[in-house]
Amino acid sequence: MTQLIDSSIQKVQIQRFSDLDSDSREDLLAVEEPLEIRISFSYANQVGMKSISVTMRTPGNDKDLALGFLFTEGIIDSFDQVKSVSYLKVDCSNNKENIVVVELNEGVEPNLGTADRNFYTTSSCGVCGKGSIQSIKTVSKFQGMVPEIQSFGAKVLFDLPEKLRSAQDNFEVSGGIHASGIFTSDGELMFLREDVGRHNALDKLIGHALQEGLLPLNRFVLLLSGRASFELIQKAAMAGISIVAAIGAPSSLALELAKEFNITLIGFLKNNRFNIYNQNENIHIDGML
């Protein structure tokens, strides 16, 4: 028997074994459902609606996710291009809000050069289905931007994982969800987003920042609750982020891209330690021997 507590958490009955004993109890799981992202447009005598992506996500902040995805994929380049964001109700959806339509302003031509691949993303690997690694090296509008000279205390960085964990409502009850958080140089958490997919969590965060007019996020630290993959660094670069810290390890391709975009990349940020894999010359880490 299952019971939906809210749109993101589901209660289930399980059988738990420990040593030689077992008992029946309730457990809480993060909800995973598909979300289809569509765009509606009208330009140069072309009027239409196009399905851009289907991704497996945790329901919640779906509009942020749709906007962040379109922006980080280079399909739109500003929130000014967007007229509205809404759910599309269809008969087969059982009243679930699993289709988001982003309507563009009249005359705005979306960059659909890479959208024709009709890619499918999953919660574990956002790159799946894309034609090649080269196809996701979208040129960031902030590429070449020189970051402000900033200092971040090592002690401030040490404290970020616990601050992120404490603010993760859904992780605390399900234990199976990723988060991306934006922090100031003083360690203040500005906002975070959660999802079963690490790339979805970051798209939700960037979509929120896009709507709030906060881009580029070059004055903040992005903290990832897991590893730093290539796609997450690509999305960070699209948002103009200059410093990315991950609780897990970076991949070799993530490091290559961080160097290309001059992003300070920190990995294994936990237990009062971290590794710096790439450092922007304008980003200083204070308190290091």
Side-chain angles (χ1 to χ4, degrees), residues 224-238:
L224 306 173
S225 65
R227 61 185 180 88
S229 65
F230 172 85
E231 189 180 36
L232 295 181
I233 300 302
Q234 180 255 339
K235 291 179 183 297
M238 290 295 290

PDB file of all heavy atoms in Angstrom, residues 224-238:
ATOM      1  N   LEU A 224      26.923  21.460  -4.679  1.00  0.00           N
ATOM      2  CA  LEU A 224      26.227  20.282  -5.191  1.00  0.00           C
ATOM      3  C   LEU A 224      26.277  19.186  -4.137  1.00  0.00           C
ATOM      4  O   LEU A 224      27.338  18.917  -3.568  1.00  0.00           O
ATOM      5  CB  LEU A 224      26.898  19.787  -6.473  1.00  0.00           C
ATOM      6  CG  LEU A 224      27.079  20.827  -7.595  1.00  0.00           C
ATOM      7  CD1 LEU A 224      27.921  20.236  -8.724  1.00  0.00           C
ATOM      8  CD2 LEU A 224      25.720  21.287  -8.122  1.00  0.00           C
ATOM      9  N   SER A 225      25.143  18.535  -3.894  1.00  0.00           N
ATOM     10  CA  SER A 225      25.082  17.536  -2.826  1.00  0.00           C
ATOM     11  C   SER A 225      25.761  16.229  -3.198  1.00  0.00           C
ATOM     12  O   SER A 225      26.001  15.387  -2.336  1.00  0.00           O
ATOM     13  CB  SER A 225      23.617  17.255  -2.459  1.00  0.00           C
ATOM     14  OG  SER A 225      22.942  16.666  -3.557  1.00  0.00           O
ATOM     15  N   GLY A 226      26.069  16.030  -4.467  1.00  0.00           N
ATOM     16  CA  GLY A 226      26.724  14.798  -4.896  1.00  0.00           C
ATOM     17  C   GLY A 226      28.020  15.082  -5.626  1.00  0.00           C
ATOM     18  O   GLY A 226      28.801  15.932  -5.217  1.00  0.00           O
ATOM     19  N   ARG A 227      28.217  14.383  -6.721  1.00  0.00           N
ATOM     20  CA  ARG A 227      29.442  14.578  -7.493  1.00  0.00           C
ATOM     21  C   ARG A 227      29.270  15.724  -8.484  1.00  0.00           C
ATOM     22  O   ARG A 227      28.153  16.166  -8.758  1.00  0.00           O
ATOM     23  CB  ARG A 227      29.804  13.289  -8.234  1.00  0.00           C
ATOM     24  CG  ARG A 227      28.753  12.821  -9.247  1.00  0.00           C
ATOM     25  CD  ARG A 227      29.133  11.480  -9.840  1.00  0.00           C
ATOM     26  NE  ARG A 227      28.121  11.035 -10.798  1.00  0.00           N
ATOM     27  CZ  ARG A 227      28.129  11.354 -12.080  1.00  0.00           C
ATOM     28  NH1 ARG A 227      29.080  12.152 -12.551  1.00  0.00           N
ATOM     29  NH2 ARG A 227      27.186  10.911 -12.885  1.00  0.00           N
ATOM     30  N   ALA A 228      30.392  16.167  -9.040  1.00  0.00           N
ATOM     31  CA  ALA A 228      30.378  17.235 -10.041  1.00  0.00           C
ATOM     32  C   ALA A 228      30.575  16.603 -11.413  1.00  0.00           C
ATOM     33  O   ALA A 228      31.690  16.241 -11.783  1.00  0.00           O
ATOM     34  CB  ALA A 228      31.469  18.251  -9.746  1.00  0.00           C
ATOM     35  N   SER A 229      29.500  16.453 -12.157  1.00  0.00           N
ATOM     36  CA  SER A 229      29.574  15.854 -13.488  1.00  0.00           C
ATOM     37  C   SER A 229      29.775  16.932 -14.543  1.00  0.00           C
ATOM     38  O   SER A 229      29.638  18.130 -14.281  1.00  0.00           O
ATOM     39  CB  SER A 229      28.279  15.085 -13.788  1.00  0.00           C
ATOM     40  OG  SER A 229      27.184  15.993 -13.861  1.00  0.00           O
ATOM     41  N   PHE A 230      30.074  16.487 -15.754  1.00  0.00           N
ATOM     42  CA  PHE A 230      30.251  17.416 -16.864  1.00  0.00           C
ATOM     43  C   PHE A 230      29.024  18.294 -17.053  1.00  0.00           C
ATOM     44  O   PHE A 230      29.120  19.511 -17.209  1.00  0.00           O
ATOM     45  CB  PHE A 230      30.541  16.633 -18.152  1.00  0.00           C
ATOM     46  CG  PHE A 230      30.551  17.497 -19.394  1.00  0.00           C
ATOM     47  CD1 PHE A 230      31.691  18.176 -19.770  1.00  0.00           C
ATOM     48  CD2 PHE A 230      29.414  17.631 -20.174  1.00  0.00           C
ATOM     49  CE1 PHE A 230      31.701  18.975 -20.910  1.00  0.00           C
ATOM     50  CE2 PHE A 230      29.414  18.426 -21.309  1.00  0.00           C
ATOM     51  CZ  PHE A 230      30.558  19.091 -21.674  1.00  0.00           C
ATOM     52  N   GLU A 231      27.833  17.685 -17.036  1.00  0.00           N
ATOM     53  CA  GLU A 231      26.631  18.458 -17.331  1.00  0.00           C
ATOM     54  C   GLU A 231      26.362  19.511 -16.266  1.00  0.00           C
ATOM     55  O   GLU A 231      25.889  20.610 -16.576  1.00  0.00           O
ATOM     56  CB  GLU A 231      25.414  17.545 -17.483  1.00  0.00           C
ATOM     57  CG  GLU A 231      24.211  18.313 -18.000  1.00  0.00           C
ATOM     58  CD  GLU A 231      22.981  17.453 -18.163  1.00  0.00           C
ATOM     59  OE1 GLU A 231      22.778  16.549 -17.332  1.00  0.00           O
ATOM     60  OE2 GLU A 231      22.230  17.689 -19.117  1.00  0.00           O
ATOM     61  N   LEU A 232      26.669  19.207 -15.024  1.00  0.00           N
ATOM     62  CA  LEU A 232      26.445  20.187 -13.973  1.00  0.00           C
ATOM     63  C   LEU A 232      27.390  21.376 -14.118  1.00  0.00           C
ATOM     64  O   LEU A 232      26.986  22.522 -13.883  1.00  0.00           O
ATOM     65  CB  LEU A 232      26.607  19.539 -12.597  1.00  0.00           C
ATOM     66  CG  LEU A 232      25.580  18.451 -12.253  1.00  0.00           C
ATOM     67  CD1 LEU A 232      25.833  17.910 -10.857  1.00  0.00           C
ATOM     68  CD2 LEU A 232      24.154  18.977 -12.362  1.00  0.00           C
ATOM     69  N   ILE A 233      28.616  21.136 -14.517  1.00  0.00           N
ATOM     70  CA  ILE A 233      29.537  22.240 -14.758  1.00  0.00           C
ATOM     71  C   ILE A 233      29.085  23.037 -15.977  1.00  0.00           C
ATOM     72  O   ILE A 233      29.184  24.279 -15.997  1.00  0.00           O
ATOM     73  CB  ILE A 233      30.973  21.725 -14.950  1.00  0.00           C
ATOM     74  CG1 ILE A 233      31.429  20.973 -13.689  1.00  0.00           C
ATOM     75  CG2 ILE A 233      31.931  22.875 -15.239  1.00  0.00           C
ATOM     76  CD1 ILE A 233      31.378  21.802 -12.414  1.00  0.00           C
ATOM     77  N   GLN A 234      28.566  22.361 -16.990  1.00  0.00           N
ATOM     78  CA  GLN A 234      28.044  23.061 -18.166  1.00  0.00           C
ATOM     79  C   GLN A 234      26.897  23.983 -17.778  1.00  0.00           C
ATOM     80  O   GLN A 234      26.831  25.139 -18.214  1.00  0.00           O
ATOM     81  CB  GLN A 234      27.582  22.047 -19.222  1.00  0.00           C
ATOM     82  CG  GLN A 234      27.029  22.674 -20.492  1.00  0.00           C
ATOM     83  CD  GLN A 234      25.504  22.591 -20.572  1.00  0.00           C
ATOM     84  OE1 GLN A 234      24.890  21.764 -19.907  1.00  0.00           O
ATOM     85  NE2 GLN A 234      24.906  23.442 -21.375  1.00  0.00           N
ATOM     86  N   LYS A 235      25.994  23.505 -16.934  1.00  0.00           N
ATOM     87  CA  LYS A 235      24.874  24.332 -16.496  1.00  0.00           C
ATOM     88  C   LYS A 235      25.366  25.498 -15.638  1.00  0.00           C
ATOM     89  O   LYS A 235      24.862  26.625 -15.748  1.00  0.00           O
ATOM     90  CB  LYS A 235      23.864  23.473 -15.731  1.00  0.00           C
ATOM     91  CG  LYS A 235      23.126  22.459 -16.608  1.00  0.00           C
ATOM     92  CD  LYS A 235      22.162  21.610 -15.794  1.00  0.00           C
ATOM     93  CE  LYS A 235      21.479  20.562 -16.669  1.00  0.00           C
ATOM     94  NZ  LYS A 235      20.642  21.138 -17.724  1.00  0.00           N
ATOM     95  N   ALA A 236      26.352  25.230 -14.773  1.00  0.00           N
ATOM     96  CA  ALA A 236      26.932  26.298 -13.954  1.00  0.00           C
ATOM     97  C   ALA A 236      27.549  27.371 -14.832  1.00  0.00           C
ATOM     98  O   ALA A 236      27.395  28.570 -14.584  1.00  0.00           O
ATOM     99  CB  ALA A 236      27.972  25.715 -12.995  1.00  0.00           C
ATOM    100  N   ALA A 237      28.246  26.944 -15.883  1.00  0.00           N
ATOM    101  CA  ALA A 237      28.861  27.900 -16.806  1.00  0.00           C
ATOM    102  C   ALA A 237      27.805  28.742 -17.511  1.00  0.00           C
ATOM    103  O   ALA A 237      27.983  29.943 -17.707  1.00  0.00           O
ATOM    104  CB  ALA A 237      29.725  27.157 -17.830  1.00  0.00           C
ATOM    105  N   MET A 238      26.690  28.126 -17.881  1.00  0.00           N
ATOM    106  CA  MET A 238      25.615  28.857 -18.539  1.00  0.00           C
ATOM    107  C   MET A 238      25.042  29.933 -17.626  1.00  0.00           C
ATOM    108  O   MET A 238      24.563  30.970 -18.101  1.00  0.00           O
ATOM    109  CB  MET A 238      24.511  27.900 -18.971  1.00  0.00           C
ATOM    110  CG  MET A 238      24.889  26.981 -20.131  1.00  0.00           C
ATOM    111  SD  MET A 238      25.182  27.891 -21.669  1.00  0.00           S
ATOM    112  CE  MET A 238      23.519  28.422 -22.084  1.00  0.00           C
TER     113      MET A 238
END
